[in-house]
Amino acid sequence: MAEWRVARYWTETELRDRLNALGGARRNFNPDSAGPGAPPWRRYASRARIARGEKGPPAPDGPFLRARNALATYSFSDPDIVQAYFDPEAALEGRRQLLELKVPLLRYLCGVVVTRVRDESTAESTTFGFRYDTLDGHIEKGWEWFLINKRHDTGVVTFHVAATWLPGDFPNWWSRVGFHLVGPAYQRRWHRIAHARMFAFA
């Protein structure tokens, strides 16, 4: 189950120990588990234009590359809602992250792992991003994609977030109830701020 605290933070040493412990954690869901009687996967997605640069492939000093850096370092996430901790020297694919989920007075620590990275370019566009999957103890079960795309014909750069999930491993009954009550509003707020932050970075 997710570790949680009331009105207290974890120290750097505690976070480092817990991040190291994620090395042995496994994914907490089976993406092929859908079927008769299984709960339906829930989905939430958002997309926004965050910049418009020169036409053509991304320039070394252009908005796409600035947004790419913000994406890879998880800087787009509002730290007042979701703070990420990870080894900055670790390769993006396979990187394990601790996410500190914050609601008034409460903090939850949940683990994820980056399972896929997209870094591709065609004549029409360039795309970069990654997907992470939830690990044992996460209060959700599922995966989330974070992608930026630049259209070469217009120079427009967009940021797209798409989550597929089920309720996960809550530490107590009132956390589960609270998540259902306030979770959707925090989710929408996080998406709005993430797009605004990416706009500023780009």
Side-chain angles (χ1 to χ4, degrees):
M1 297 182 190
E3 185 177 353
W4 61 282
R5 290 185 176 180
V6 178
R8 290 192 301 124
Y9 294 92
W10 287 267
T11 66
E12 290 186 11
T13 300
E14 290 174 326
L15 289 169
R16 184 168 58 250
D17 291 343
R18 286 152 179 77
L19 184 59
N20 290 337
L22 284 184
R26 296 183 297 178
R27 202 165 56 175
N28 67 346
F29 68 96
N30 178 1
D32 301 320
S33 62
W41 288 100
R42 304 177 187 184
R43 291 176 171 82
Y44 190 88
S46 62
R47 185 190 304 268
R49 189 174 85 169
I50 57 172
R52 184 165 190 166
E54 298 292 329
K55 295 180 181 180
D61 59 347
F64 181 90
L65 271 296
R66 292 193 290 270
R68 177 186 171 119
N69 181 66
L71 188 63
T73 58
Y74 213 73
S75 301
F76 60 89
S77 180
D78 180 359
D80 289 333
I81 301 176
V82 181
Q83 175 75 54
Y85 304 97
F86 56 88
D87 179 0
E89 301 301 320
L92 179 57
E93 188 164 3
R95 186 173 77 191
R96 291 176 181 250
Q97 299 183 170
L98 268 178
L99 302 182
E100 183 181 357
L101 314 183
K102 304 176 182 180
V103 295
L105 295 180
L106 293 173
R107 305 288 186 266
Y108 297 89
L109 276 186
C110 301
V112 298
V113 58
V114 176
T115 56
R116 300 184 190 176
V117 173
R118 286 184 60 185
D119 190 0
E120 56 200 36
S121 185
T122 66
E124 292 78 25
S125 67
T126 299
T127 301
F128 173 77
F130 64 91
R131 164 183 154 168
Y132 67 49
D133 293 9
T134 56
L135 296 173
D136 286 334
H138 202 294
I139 63 172
E140 294 180 347
K141 298 178 180 180
W143 62 92
E144 195 159 10
W145 274 103
F146 308 92
L147 295 167
I148 53 172
N149 173 269
K150 181 185 180 184
R151 293 287 308 178
H152 298 168
D153 56 346
T154 63
V156 170
V157 180
T158 56
F159 178 43
H160 180 212
V161 183
T164 303
W165 59 281
L166 293 169
D169 306 311
F170 289 87
N172 41 56
W173 67 268
W174 50 264
S175 289
R176 183 178 292 275
V177 172
F179 180 82
H180 286 295
L181 290 176
V182 305
Y186 270 82
Q187 184 182 55
R188 291 190 295 270
R189 180 184 171 199
W190 182 90
H191 277 249
R192 288 196 304 270
I193 296 175
H195 290 300
R197 288 173 67 89
M198 286 294 277
F199 178 87
F201 283 119

